Amino acid sequence: MSDCCSNGTYDLAVIGAGSAGFSAAITAADSGARVALIGYGTIGGTCVNVGCVPSKALIRATEALHASSAAKRFNGIEVTSRLTSWSDVVRQKQQLVDELRGVKYADLLPSYENVDYIEGQASFGKDGALFVDGTAFAATKIVIATGTRPSIPSINGIKDVPYLTSTTALEQETLPSSMLVIGAGYIGVELAQIFARAGVDVTLVSRRGVLPEAEPEIGAALAGYLSDEGISIVSGISYDRIAKHKDGVELIVFEDGSPRTIVADKVLLATGRTPNIESLNLQNKGVVLNDVGGIKVDKQMRSSANDVFAAGDVTGEDQFVYMAAYGAKIAAKSAMGLETRAYDNMAMPAVVFSDPQVASVGLTEAQAQESGFSVKTSILTLENVPRALAARDTRGVIKLVANAQNGILLGAHILAPEGADSIQTAAMAIKCHMTYQELADMIFPYLTTVEGLKLAAQTFDMDVKKLSCCAG
């Protein structure tokens, strides 16, 4: 490891020391390249520090709190639980974050002798040369993997109120009495449920409804389940302004043309993420941005500058840690001239860790139609899945999207308590261009959630209510 720029030219400079940055650096190092990994701020990036790991740790913790009320669905069972110290919950979460940051990131660096870790802020000078903390830095190729940060919505007055983001909310050791969550995408949904289960009075506000990018049947069903847990949902609105209030903050929205005021102790902004590019001075290098404000890349992760590649959330696309690592491998290999492998997200699974979980892969019905397919769909509620009946938890729906002309699966969308563990089966089916008939004919284990995929596939052509157990 190094604290300053080394003499000589590196084969590859990787800007950003998160999951994408590490993946690119390790991939290049394994090929024998001399690599500079340039980090700025906390090593490890979003996922381990402020994203996946801390949020999922708190989701699991609050699931335990929710278990007492959920157990009531079983006769003869009574369970009680209570929160004794939210600060202890948050500190335990932080211990896990600190441990994984070391094991999965900082402690790995000494294993790679040809990777120098350099702490500093990278930028491009007026002649397009790379600088780190103002000092010229020589590298043949560059991979940018600087990630994203929480977006701040353009609501009047937002800069004048104290707000939480997905980062700072997970660090709060004291729970507010009430919370206003602005944004009902996957971040807003997960955080709203965490705090509601911890005892906070939560209002979830969104212009387009819960999970607006998901299948409408799934978004609507999840909204109902969140409401059942006491989360107030306000959607189909436009924002007027936000301001301080004697009880915290007040948000004024227009709902059906009429103003509505929502007051809460705290406000949490969950309106997406913004690529970290400002300090790079990309215009000096001629790096072009895409329509979502990220670095525009081709299928080999090349930017508009011949010697610059980009991967991960900074591209503004497919903002999942596994896709960041996947894209970064391609970027590093492309930069090193090792292969021309193309980035392929056709069978990219995505999960929202709500309860029930939302898992999807491939195209939605609307996306398939927009792509020119003649579309055929099946929709199966969990009342038809034996696993759900045995668990006495039939919250959820499974929707499959297929090409009506040849039956090939185009998309799979699951809302179920264990939906995340089933989506990879659908991803493999789509990757292999299976038809829904072939999926329906496969052998699935009985009394599993994943069996719902078989039943949903059968639903294209038959009424599964008329099947006996295990038939098919």
Side-chain angles (χ1 to χ4, degrees):
M1 296 189 12
S2 174
D3 294 325
C4 62
C5 304
S6 300
N7 293 325
T9 300
Y10 286 95
D11 299 309
L12 182 69
V14 180
I15 305 173
S19 56
F22 265 75
S23 176
I26 289 172
T27 299
D30 284 342
S31 72
R34 186 180 178 216
V35 181
L37 178 60
I38 304 168
Y40 184 70
T42 305
I43 197 170
T46 296
C47 183
V48 72
N49 289 303
V50 298
C52 324
V53 172
S55 64
K56 277 52 180 181
L58 293 182
I59 285 171
R60 283 300 192 187
T62 53
E63 277 180 6
L65 285 171
H66 182 69
S68 57
S69 59
K72 295 176 182 177
R73 65 181 184 263
F74 295 101
N75 293 338
I77 295 178
E78 181 177 337
V79 178
T80 60
S81 63
R82 66 188 181 94
L83 178 63
T84 58
S85 173
W86 182 250
S87 62
D88 285 348
V89 173
V90 172
R91 289 168 190 168
Q92 185 185 44
K93 173 269 298 180
Q94 192 58 44
Q95 289 173 355
L96 176 64
V97 168
D98 295 342
E99 178 183 345
L100 289 179
R101 185 194 306 120
V103 171
K104 296 298 182 181
Y105 292 93
D107 295 348
L108 288 179
L109 290 172
S111 302
Y112 294 90
E113 294 182 356
N114 49 339
V115 176
D116 289 337
Y117 179 70
I118 295 155
E119 179 70 26
Q121 190 170 44
S123 63
F124 293 103
K126 292 183 178 180
D127 60 352
L130 179 62
F131 288 79
V132 176
D133 283 345
T135 300
F137 194 91
T140 303
K141 296 291 176 66
I142 298 165
V143 172
I144 299 175
T146 47
T148 57
R149 64 186 184 279
S151 295
I152 308 304
S154 55
I155 301 174
N156 290 332
I158 194 68
K159 295 180 180 179
D160 300 321
V161 299
Y163 57 79
L164 299 172
T165 67
S166 57
T167 297
T168 57
L170 299 177
E171 298 169 348
Q172 300 294 301
E173 294 193 12
T174 302
L175 289 170
S177 59
S178 58
M179 178 179 287
L180 171 61
V181 179
I182 298 178
Y186 73 94
I187 296 174
V189 164
E190 290 182 359
L191 296 184
Q193 196 166 42
I194 286 173
F195 286 103
R197 289 183 168 186
V200 178
D201 183 5
V202 174
T203 300
L204 184 60
V205 180
S206 171
R207 286 179 293 188
R208 296 190 294 154
V210 172
L211 298 184
E213 303 302 326
E215 289 285 8
E217 298 89 348
I218 286 178
L222 181 60
Y225 302 141
L226 295 175
S227 295
D228 291 342
E229 290 193 24
I231 297 174
S232 299
I233 296 177
V234 179
S235 62
I237 53 89
S238 61
Y239 298 112
D240 181 36
R241 64 185 184 277
I242 192 169
K244 293 180 181 178
H245 186 274
K246 62 183 179 63
D247 294 321
V249 294
E250 66 174 4
L251 174 69
I252 300 174
V253 301
F254 280 98
E255 186 176 30
D256 297 326
S258 300
R260 175 176 176 178
T261 300
I262 306 168
V263 177
D265 187 15
K266 296 283 187 179
V267 60
L268 192 165
L269 306 181
T271 49
R273 299 185 66 83
T274 298
N276 293 321
I277 57 173
E278 289 78 8
S279 63
L280 292 171
N281 296 324
L282 295 176
Q283 69 281 1
N284 291 339
K285 190 65 174 176
V287 173
V288 174
L289 303 183
N290 55 30
D291 293 339
V292 294
I295 296 176
K296 184 177 181 179
V297 294
D298 64 12
K299 293 295 185 180
Q300 283 72 46
M301 315 309 289
R302 292 184 294 241
S303 77
S304 53
N306 291 334
D307 56 344
V308 177
F309 300 72
D313 291 1
V314 75
T315 66
E317 306 286 351
D318 300 340
Q319 294 183 0
F320 303 99
V321 63
Y322 43 92
M323 297 305 290
Y326 164 70
K329 288 181 180 179
I330 296 175
K333 289 185 177 182
S334 297
M336 296 295 98
L338 298 177
E339 63 175 47
T340 56
R341 181 182 177 188
Y343 184 92
D344 181 6
N345 61 1
M346 177 190 74
M348 176 190 75
V351 176
V352 182
F353 288 90
S354 52
D355 179 19
Q357 296 170 345
V358 178
S360 62
V361 62
L363 302 178
T364 63
E365 180 179 0
Q367 289 170 338
Q369 291 171 339
E370 291 170 1
S371 298
F373 290 103
S374 175
V375 175
K376 186 176 184 180
T377 66
S378 76
I379 297 176
L380 182 79
T381 59
L382 260 63
E383 287 91 347
N384 299 287
V385 179
R387 169 68 177 179
L389 294 171
R392 297 192 177 278
D393 189 356
T394 56
R395 297 172 302 154
V397 61
I398 299 173
K399 181 174 182 178
L400 298 181
V401 180
N403 185 330
Q405 295 181 335
N406 54 23
I408 291 177
L409 285 167
L410 301 173
H413 310 274
I414 303 172
L415 173 65
E418 299 162 342
D421 293 332
S422 301
I423 198 61
Q424 194 62 26
T425 298
M428 293 176 70
I430 290 174
K431 182 71 173 177
C432 295
H433 304 285
M434 289 179 62
T435 66
Y436 71 81
Q437 296 96 335
E438 290 171 328
L439 183 63
D441 288 340
M442 287 186 65
I443 299 171
F444 282 74
Y446 186 54
L447 283 176
T448 60
T449 302
V450 74
E451 183 192 18
L453 287 174
K454 177 185 179 74
L455 295 169
Q458 291 175 319
T459 300
F460 277 104
D461 296 326
M462 68 177 69
D463 183 357
V464 296
K465 293 182 183 294
K466 296 181 179 179
L467 295 175
S468 65
C469 289
C470 308

